[in-house]
Amino acid sequence: QVQLVESGGGLVQAGGSLNLSCAASVSIFSINPMAWYRQAPGKQRELVATITSGGTTNYADSVKGRFTISRDNAKNTVFLQMNSLKSEDTGAYYCYARLPIQTIWGQGTQVTVSS
């Protein structure tokens, strides 16, 4: 069974940085795409960033210029570097992978930005 395990969340002051990791239990070489979503309390889950197997990235307007998604296929890991964090970035961050016959979600990692 494919598993995704996120790490790297925590409490940070506004303006600070965090680097989230998503480790997969299988090779991610051909997984297309992988992505990060987030969900704030009382709100719907929203797409933060995606990365294709070829390395093409896409971002939500709210994080453009501040967040960077990347992947290390050799380590089966996807990263989300988050800089200039704002209080509105607070939420649970989830890793996502779209496989040929199923989609996989991680368990989430909490990010809390204090103002």
Side-chain angles (χ1 to χ4, degrees):
Q1 185 177 357
V2 180
Q3 291 186 323
L4 302 174
V5 179
E6 301 99 332
S7 61
L11 174 64
V12 63
Q13 288 188 333
S17 298
L18 284 174
N19 190 23
L20 306 184
S21 298
C22 169
S25 59
V26 296
S27 172
I28 66 167
F29 181 79
S30 60
I31 295 180
N32 186 27
M34 296 196 70
W36 286 95
Y37 284 74
R38 68 185 180 188
Q39 187 167 19
K43 295 187 177 181
Q44 289 188 330
R45 192 170 295 189
E46 64 175 355
L47 179 64
V48 175
T50 62
I51 185 166
T52 69
S53 56
T56 301
T57 59
N58 196 21
Y59 299 92
D61 287 343
S62 59
V63 306
K64 281 181 181 176
R66 301 188 297 122
F67 290 12
T68 302
I69 188 171
S70 62
R71 61 195 291 164
D72 185 337
N73 292 336
K75 296 182 178 180
N76 298 325
T77 302
V78 175
F79 303 96
L80 185 68
Q81 177 65 45
M82 306 186 295
N83 298 326
S84 302
L85 283 162
K86 305 176 181 179
S87 57
E88 51 262 45
D89 295 319
T90 293
Y93 283 69
Y94 297 91
C95 186
Y96 164 95
R98 186 170 70 197
L99 304 180
I101 60 172
Q102 61 181 329
T103 58
I104 306 295
W105 293 92
Q107 84 288 348
T109 185
Q110 179 66 33
V111 172
T112 303
V113 184
S114 63
S115 57

